[in-house]
Short mmCIF file of all heavy atoms in Angstrom, two decimals:
data_model
loop_
_atom_site.label_atom_id
_atom_site.label_comp_id
_atom_site.label_asym_id
_atom_site.label_seq_id
_atom_site.Cartn_x
_atom_site.Cartn_y
_atom_site.Cartn_z
N ALA Q 15 -96.58 28.77 -188.30
CA ALA Q 15 -95.33 28.00 -188.20
C ALA Q 15 -94.13 28.91 -188.45
O ALA Q 15 -93.10 28.79 -187.77
CB ALA Q 15 -95.35 26.86 -189.21
N GLU Q 16 -94.27 29.83 -189.38
CA GLU Q 16 -93.17 30.74 -189.70
C GLU Q 16 -92.87 31.67 -188.52
O GLU Q 16 -91.70 31.97 -188.26
CB GLU Q 16 -93.50 31.56 -190.95
CG GLU Q 16 -93.51 30.76 -192.24
CD GLU Q 16 -94.81 29.99 -192.47
OE1 GLU Q 16 -95.79 30.15 -191.69
OE2 GLU Q 16 -94.84 29.18 -193.42
N GLN Q 17 -93.90 32.11 -187.80
CA GLN Q 17 -93.68 32.96 -186.63
C GLN Q 17 -92.99 32.18 -185.52
O GLN Q 17 -92.09 32.70 -184.85
CB GLN Q 17 -95.01 33.53 -186.13
CG GLN Q 17 -95.61 34.56 -187.05
CD GLN Q 17 -97.05 34.89 -186.69
OE1 GLN Q 17 -97.82 34.04 -186.25
NE2 GLN Q 17 -97.41 36.16 -186.89
N ILE Q 18 -93.41 30.95 -185.32
CA ILE Q 18 -92.79 30.10 -184.31
C ILE Q 18 -91.32 29.91 -184.65
O ILE Q 18 -90.44 30.07 -183.79
CB ILE Q 18 -93.52 28.75 -184.21
CG1 ILE Q 18 -94.95 28.95 -183.72
CG2 ILE Q 18 -92.75 27.78 -183.30
CD1 ILE Q 18 -95.84 27.73 -183.87
N TYR Q 19 -91.06 29.58 -185.89
CA TYR Q 19 -89.68 29.37 -186.34
C TYR Q 19 -88.83 30.63 -186.12
O TYR Q 19 -87.74 30.56 -185.56
CB TYR Q 19 -89.67 28.97 -187.82
CG TYR Q 19 -88.31 28.97 -188.44
CD1 TYR Q 19 -87.39 27.99 -188.12
CD2 TYR Q 19 -87.95 29.95 -189.36
CE1 TYR Q 19 -86.13 27.98 -188.70
CE2 TYR Q 19 -86.70 29.96 -189.94
CZ TYR Q 19 -85.78 28.97 -189.61
OH TYR Q 19 -84.54 28.98 -190.17
N ALA Q 20 -89.33 31.78 -186.53
CA ALA Q 20 -88.57 33.02 -186.39
C ALA Q 20 -88.28 33.35 -184.92
O ALA Q 20 -87.17 33.78 -184.59
CB ALA Q 20 -89.35 34.17 -187.04
N ASP Q 21 -89.25 33.12 -184.06
CA ASP Q 21 -89.07 33.43 -182.64
C ASP Q 21 -88.10 32.46 -181.96
O ASP Q 21 -87.36 32.86 -181.06
CB ASP Q 21 -90.41 33.42 -181.90
CG ASP Q 21 -91.27 34.62 -182.26
OD1 ASP Q 21 -90.75 35.58 -182.87
OD2 ASP Q 21 -92.47 34.60 -181.92
N LEU Q 22 -88.11 31.21 -182.37
CA LEU Q 22 -87.26 30.21 -181.72
C LEU Q 22 -85.87 30.08 -182.34
O LEU Q 22 -84.94 29.61 -181.69
CB LEU Q 22 -87.95 28.84 -181.73
CG LEU Q 22 -89.24 28.73 -180.93
CD1 LEU Q 22 -89.85 27.34 -181.11
CD2 LEU Q 22 -88.99 29.02 -179.46
N LYS Q 23 -85.72 30.51 -183.57
CA LYS Q 23 -84.46 30.33 -184.31
C LYS Q 23 -83.30 31.06 -183.65
O LYS Q 23 -82.17 30.55 -183.63
CB LYS Q 23 -84.65 30.81 -185.75
CG LYS Q 23 -83.43 30.69 -186.62
CD LYS Q 23 -83.12 29.26 -186.92
CE LYS Q 23 -81.97 29.18 -187.92
NZ LYS Q 23 -81.45 27.85 -188.07
N THR Q 24 -83.51 32.24 -183.09
CA THR Q 24 -82.41 33.02 -182.51
C THR Q 24 -81.77 32.28 -181.34
O THR Q 24 -80.55 32.31 -181.18
CB THR Q 24 -82.91 34.41 -182.03
OG1 THR Q 24 -84.01 34.22 -181.14
CG2 THR Q 24 -83.34 35.25 -183.21
N GLU Q 25 -82.58 31.62 -180.52
CA GLU Q 25 -82.04 30.87 -179.39
C GLU Q 25 -81.63 29.45 -179.76
O GLU Q 25 -80.90 28.80 -179.01
CB GLU Q 25 -83.08 30.79 -178.27
CG GLU Q 25 -83.44 32.13 -177.66
CD GLU Q 25 -84.53 32.00 -176.62
OE1 GLU Q 25 -84.64 30.92 -175.99
OE2 GLU Q 25 -85.27 32.98 -176.43
N ASN Q 26 -82.10 28.97 -180.90
CA ASN Q 26 -81.84 27.59 -181.33
C ASN Q 26 -81.44 27.57 -182.79
O ASN Q 26 -82.24 27.21 -183.66
CB ASN Q 26 -83.10 26.75 -181.12
CG ASN Q 26 -83.56 26.79 -179.70
OD1 ASN Q 26 -83.05 26.07 -178.87
ND2 ASN Q 26 -84.50 27.68 -179.38
N PRO Q 27 -80.20 27.94 -183.09
CA PRO Q 27 -79.76 28.07 -184.49
C PRO Q 27 -79.87 26.79 -185.31
O PRO Q 27 -79.98 26.85 -186.53
CB PRO Q 27 -78.30 28.50 -184.37
CG PRO Q 27 -78.05 28.81 -182.95
CD PRO Q 27 -79.17 28.27 -182.14
N ALA Q 28 -79.87 25.63 -184.67
CA ALA Q 28 -79.96 24.37 -185.41
C ALA Q 28 -81.39 24.05 -185.84
O ALA Q 28 -81.62 23.14 -186.64
CB ALA Q 28 -79.41 23.22 -184.56
N LEU Q 29 -82.36 24.80 -185.35
CA LEU Q 29 -83.76 24.56 -185.67
C LEU Q 29 -84.04 24.92 -187.13
O LEU Q 29 -83.60 25.96 -187.61
CB LEU Q 29 -84.65 25.40 -184.75
CG LEU Q 29 -86.15 25.18 -184.84
CD1 LEU Q 29 -86.52 23.78 -184.32
CD2 LEU Q 29 -86.88 26.25 -184.05
N SER Q 30 -84.78 24.06 -187.82
CA SER Q 30 -85.15 24.35 -189.21
C SER Q 30 -86.66 24.52 -189.31
O SER Q 30 -87.41 24.02 -188.46
CB SER Q 30 -84.69 23.23 -190.14
OG SER Q 30 -85.46 22.07 -189.92
N LEU Q 31 -87.10 25.19 -190.36
CA LEU Q 31 -88.53 25.38 -190.57
C LEU Q 31 -89.22 24.04 -190.80
O LEU Q 31 -90.33 23.82 -190.30
CB LEU Q 31 -88.77 26.33 -191.76
CG LEU Q 31 -90.22 26.68 -192.06
CD1 LEU Q 31 -90.90 27.31 -190.85
CD2 LEU Q 31 -90.29 27.62 -193.25
N SER Q 32 -88.58 23.12 -191.49
CA SER Q 32 -89.18 21.80 -191.71
C SER Q 32 -89.35 21.05 -190.39
O SER Q 32 -90.34 20.32 -190.21
CB SER Q 32 -88.37 20.98 -192.71
OG SER Q 32 -87.08 20.72 -192.21
N THR Q 33 -88.43 21.23 -189.44
CA THR Q 33 -88.56 20.61 -188.12
C THR Q 33 -89.77 21.18 -187.39
O THR Q 33 -90.52 20.45 -186.73
CB THR Q 33 -87.28 20.82 -187.29
OG1 THR Q 33 -86.20 20.18 -187.96
CG2 THR Q 33 -87.42 20.26 -185.89
N VAL Q 34 -89.97 22.48 -187.50
CA VAL Q 34 -91.13 23.12 -186.87
C VAL Q 34 -92.41 22.55 -187.46
O VAL Q 34 -93.31 22.13 -186.72
CB VAL Q 34 -91.08 24.66 -187.03
CG1 VAL Q 34 -92.38 25.30 -186.57
CG2 VAL Q 34 -89.89 25.24 -186.26
N TYR Q 35 -92.51 22.50 -188.78
CA TYR Q 35 -93.71 21.95 -189.42
C TYR Q 35 -93.94 20.49 -189.02
O TYR Q 35 -95.07 20.10 -188.72
CB TYR Q 35 -93.62 22.05 -190.95
CG TYR Q 35 -94.11 23.35 -191.50
CD1 TYR Q 35 -93.22 24.28 -192.04
CD2 TYR Q 35 -95.46 23.67 -191.50
CE1 TYR Q 35 -93.67 25.49 -192.55
CE2 TYR Q 35 -95.92 24.87 -192.02
CZ TYR Q 35 -95.02 25.77 -192.54
OH TYR Q 35 -95.47 26.96 -193.05
N ARG Q 36 -92.90 19.68 -189.06
CA ARG Q 36 -93.03 18.27 -188.72
C ARG Q 36 -93.55 18.09 -187.29
O ARG Q 36 -94.46 17.30 -187.04
CB ARG Q 36 -91.68 17.56 -188.90
CG ARG Q 36 -91.72 16.08 -188.67
CD ARG Q 36 -90.41 15.36 -189.04
NE ARG Q 36 -89.20 15.96 -188.47
CZ ARG Q 36 -88.36 16.77 -189.13
NH1 ARG Q 36 -88.58 17.06 -190.39
NH2 ARG Q 36 -87.29 17.26 -188.54
N ASN Q 37 -93.00 18.86 -186.36
CA ASN Q 37 -93.42 18.73 -184.97
C ASN Q 37 -94.81 19.31 -184.74
O ASN Q 37 -95.58 18.77 -183.93
CB ASN Q 37 -92.39 19.37 -184.04
CG ASN Q 37 -91.21 18.45 -183.84
OD1 ASN Q 37 -91.31 17.44 -183.18
ND2 ASN Q 37 -90.08 18.79 -184.45
N LEU Q 38 -95.16 20.38 -185.42
CA LEU Q 38 -96.53 20.90 -185.32
C LEU Q 38 -97.53 19.88 -185.82
O LEU Q 38 -98.59 19.68 -185.21
CB LEU Q 38 -96.66 22.22 -186.10
CG LEU Q 38 -95.97 23.43 -185.49
CD1 LEU Q 38 -95.99 24.60 -186.46
CD2 LEU Q 38 -96.61 23.82 -184.17
N ASN Q 39 -97.21 19.21 -186.91
CA ASN Q 39 -98.10 18.17 -187.45
C ASN Q 39 -98.25 17.01 -186.47
O ASN Q 39 -99.36 16.51 -186.26
CB ASN Q 39 -97.60 17.67 -188.80
CG ASN Q 39 -97.82 18.67 -189.90
OD1 ASN Q 39 -98.71 19.52 -189.82
ND2 ASN Q 39 -97.00 18.61 -190.93
N LEU Q 40 -97.16 16.59 -185.85
CA LEU Q 40 -97.23 15.51 -184.86
C LEU Q 40 -98.04 15.91 -183.63
O LEU Q 40 -98.89 15.15 -183.17
CB LEU Q 40 -95.82 15.10 -184.42
CG LEU Q 40 -95.07 14.14 -185.31
CD1 LEU Q 40 -93.63 13.98 -184.84
CD2 LEU Q 40 -95.77 12.78 -185.33
N LEU Q 41 -97.77 17.10 -183.11
CA LEU Q 41 -98.50 17.58 -181.93
C LEU Q 41 -99.99 17.72 -182.22
O LEU Q 41 -100.83 17.43 -181.37
CB LEU Q 41 -97.91 18.90 -181.44
CG LEU Q 41 -96.51 18.81 -180.82
CD1 LEU Q 41 -95.89 20.19 -180.67
CD2 LEU Q 41 -96.57 18.09 -179.48
N THR Q 42 -100.32 18.13 -183.44
CA THR Q 42 -101.72 18.23 -183.85
C THR Q 42 -102.34 16.85 -183.96
O THR Q 42 -103.45 16.60 -183.47
CB THR Q 42 -101.85 18.99 -185.19
OG1 THR Q 42 -101.29 20.29 -185.05
CG2 THR Q 42 -103.29 19.10 -185.63
N GLU Q 43 -101.64 15.94 -184.60
CA GLU Q 43 -102.12 14.57 -184.78
C GLU Q 43 -102.40 13.89 -183.44
O GLU Q 43 -103.39 13.16 -183.30
CB GLU Q 43 -101.07 13.76 -185.55
CG GLU Q 43 -101.42 12.33 -185.80
CD GLU Q 43 -100.31 11.58 -186.51
OE1 GLU Q 43 -99.60 12.20 -187.33
OE2 GLU Q 43 -100.14 10.38 -186.23
#
């Protein structure tokens, strides 16, 4: 999740690590 966040953050400054985790959990579910 941290790698995903770091790679996407530069193009999407509003993205937060908690948003990444929340969406990963939903996509997994």
